[in-house]
Amino acid sequence: MKFRSRLVVNLSNLAHNYNEIKKLAPSSEVLFMVKADGYGHGMISVARYAQTELGVRNFGCATISEALKLREELNDLEFDIYVFSDIQLELLENADIYLKRRIIPVISNVSELDYILHTPEFKYFPICLKFNTGMNRLGLDPNDAPLILSRLKQHGRNSIHHLIQHYANASYGMDTDEKNILQRKRFEELKNYFRENGITLERTSQSNSGAIEQKTGLMETHIRPGLMMYGPTSLSDEFKDKGFFKGKLVSKLETYILRTFEVKKGDTVGYNSTPCPSDGIIAVLAIGYGDGFFNRYSGAHLNHKGFEGKIIGRVSMDMTHVFFPVEAKNHIKAHEVFTIWGENEGDLLRFSEETKTIPYELFCSLLPRIPRVYRLN
Ligand SMILES: Cc1ncc(COP(=O)(O)O)c(C=O)c1O
């Protein structure tokens, strides 16, 4: 087999993005978010490269099973792992994993904190607290700070290993959006409160990509980039000019043309017989919803060799039809590689806009049938 749909992951671009982030935030350490299989890029390969070649020493997962996989597959490397959402601390088996595999659960409610404080095996375990300063998803209530302080003191704990908050509106203006201003203020108040009451904050972090792009929260010990490490901006259109980051897209989604055929206006294509709007040429791509390329992408534009095509009709499990104008006839051929998105061809942001998705979602949707292939420049 000569070609196959695949995600080409350019690790040199990951290095570029990391270096750009370090230019913005020279004194903060990077806690690289590699959850959801490294945002679809392949968690293990991406994390191995980041640790060995870029010196990243902290990784963020969403679930304990992701964290365990990372620890087991990279057991020759040293790094910290945080589990941010599905920590499942109440299961005895998991307590063992946290303790023995040096995985840090991010605590976001008082009962989880109580569990850590009351379980003798966790007596010296690092405490990582995430506060809900306005995201209203997970997180400790800032109003519970006095209660949390007294619990820590009762148990002889005088330090918090990592104090965290997460922005709800980081893709909007950090200096203009009211929620961002409020969240920043609440986090400052929390830091001051714990410090004034004798608690050492060993590590603090407040910013994910949108905030980092706007140079917010860079005085904390850590920053937590996810999307920007993989290249795209996470700033909304109207705030793009506020960003200081020029990322390079790490991934290129390639497929190839299985077949081309000419059509006349009204000829039908594929399931449910969608009629062609005019005379033209159809390129049948070797990608479909069995690869994580969905039926709702129908109607989006894709370019090939300078011609603008449009996904026509129903996307099948293994194939997608792209309709091109008749002028493309002698140019678009079977067996050619067809790039859906990439650094130089294929506009990811346009595709995400037209499909009413976000780059996060496009990356994470790709299914295992798409091999991840790693390249250096
Ligand atoms: C707590 C936390 N920090 C950081 C990130 C990274 O966010 P982004 O990909 O927008 O940089 C996430 C991702 O959702 C997160 O949940």
Side-chain angles (χ1 to χ4, degrees):
M1 188 173 59
K2 204 161 165 201
F3 303 111
R4 181 57 215 150
S5 297
R6 60 189 190 167
L7 191 77
V8 182
V9 177
N10 183 342
L11 294 170
S12 302
N13 283 1
L14 187 77
H16 168 89
N17 297 338
Y18 175 77
N19 292 331
E20 289 299 300
I21 292 170
K22 287 303 291 178
K23 276 190 216 156
L24 288 179
S27 54
S28 308
E29 234 187 278
V30 165
L31 192 172
F32 179 17
M33 299 303 287
V34 293
K35 60 186 182 172
D37 201 23
Y39 286 41
H41 293 67
M43 173 177 73
I44 299 301
S45 306
V46 157
R48 178 176 285 285
Y49 180 80
Q51 202 278 2
T52 56
E53 304 303 316
L54 309 177
V56 174
R57 292 286 177 274
N58 304 271
F59 294 97
C61 295
T63 71
I64 185 168
S65 55
E66 287 176 342
L68 189 57
K69 181 171 179 209
L70 194 58
R71 181 63 85 213
E72 292 199 329
E73 301 221 10
L74 300 186
N75 64 2
D76 53 323
L77 304 178
E78 253 184 56
F79 52 87
D80 286 353
I81 311 179
Y82 294 81
V83 182
F84 277 89
S85 40
D86 192 13
I87 68 171
Q88 299 185 23
L89 203 51
E90 68 282 2
L91 292 178
L92 216 59
E93 291 80 355
N94 291 346
D96 237 34
I97 292 171
Y98 284 120
L99 288 163
K100 295 200 175 127
R101 312 311 300 265
R102 281 201 325 105
I103 295 171
I104 305 172
V106 176
I107 291 167
S108 54
N109 65 54
V110 173
S111 64
E112 289 162 358
L113 177 63
D114 279 342
Y115 175 84
I116 296 262
L117 293 174
H118 287 112
T119 307
E121 290 80 6
F122 282 97
K123 190 164 168 45
Y124 301 106
F125 197 78
I127 290 184
C128 173
L129 302 181
K130 180 161 112 184
F131 274 88
N132 168 25
T133 58
M135 170 65 124
N136 295 337
R137 200 169 61 170
L138 290 181
L140 293 151
D141 184 343
N143 293 320
D144 284 338
L147 173 90
I148 291 162
L149 176 72
S150 75
R151 300 264 166 98
L152 291 173
K153 295 252 157 154
Q154 261 170 27
H155 289 84
R157 296 288 205 134
N158 290 318
S159 72
I160 294 172
H161 178 68
H162 199 150
L163 189 78
I164 289 175
Q165 75 99 43
H166 189 44
Y167 284 110
N169 291 349
S171 49
Y172 305 157
M174 291 309 301
D175 294 330
T176 47
D177 181 83
E178 275 178 31
K179 178 59 79 68
N180 286 335
I181 294 167
L182 177 71
Q183 287 196 256
R184 211 156 56 235
K185 178 168 164 285
R186 284 186 176 153
F187 193 56
E188 271 326 292
E189 286 166 0
L190 283 165
K191 287 191 296 182
N192 290 339
Y193 178 77
F194 284 114
R195 284 182 175 136
E196 281 160 11
N197 285 285
I199 299 288
T200 304
L201 303 180
E202 293 166 22
R203 300 165 165 209
T204 57
S205 66
Q206 57 169 286
S207 294
N208 61 327
S209 296
I212 300 165
E213 286 181 65
Q214 297 180 66
K215 296 193 186 173
T216 296
L218 309 185
M219 72 306 224
E220 310 293 354
T221 62
H222 287 66
I223 49 176
R224 305 188 312 272
L227 190 72
M228 68 193 304
M229 285 288 284
Y230 306 98
T233 177
S234 62
L235 299 180
S236 301
D237 264 353
E238 59 278 37
F239 298 103
K240 288 218 166 88
D241 61 327
K242 289 188 175 280
F244 291 89
F245 173 71
K246 282 265 170 294
K248 288 189 180 174
L249 199 54
V250 169
S251 67
K252 178 154 81 134
L253 178 60
E254 278 181 2
T255 181
Y256 76 105
I257 302 174
L258 287 165
R259 180 191 168 211
T260 61
F261 55 92
E262 284 180 48
V263 285
K264 294 278 175 221
K265 181 177 179 183
D267 284 354
T268 64
V269 183
Y271 285 120
N272 292 358
S273 304
T274 304
C276 293
S278 56
D279 294 359
I281 177 166
I282 297 287
V284 184
L285 305 185
I287 193 166
Y289 59 81
D291 302 289
F293 196 84
F294 300 115
N295 192 31
R296 64 178 190 276
Y297 300 169
S298 182
H301 291 94
L302 293 173
N303 281 24
H304 184 64
K305 289 177 135 180
F307 294 97
E308 182 171 85
K310 190 172 182 177
I311 300 175
I312 184 168
R314 219 166 90 172
V315 172
S316 315
M317 192 181 289
D318 319 301
M319 280 171 272
T320 296
H321 295 96
V322 185
F323 174 85
F324 284 95
V326 82
E327 302 78 65
K329 195 169 104 182
N330 295 320
H331 302 275
I332 295 186
K333 306 223 166 72
H335 308 303
E336 286 174 347
V337 174
F338 190 109
T339 302
I340 291 174
W341 70 66
E343 188 190 353
N344 303 316
E345 317 144 65
D347 186 339
L348 175 80
L349 294 184
R350 181 185 185 198
F351 188 69
S352 73
E353 258 165 46
E354 290 192 354
T355 54
K356 298 195 171 47
T357 56
I358 47 180
Y360 296 84
E361 196 183 347
L362 289 171
F363 292 157
C364 290
S365 301
L366 296 176
L367 294 171
R369 200 166 72 177
I370 301 276
R372 276 62 169 174
V373 179
Y374 298 91
R375 290 262 187 280
L376 291 167
N377 267 349

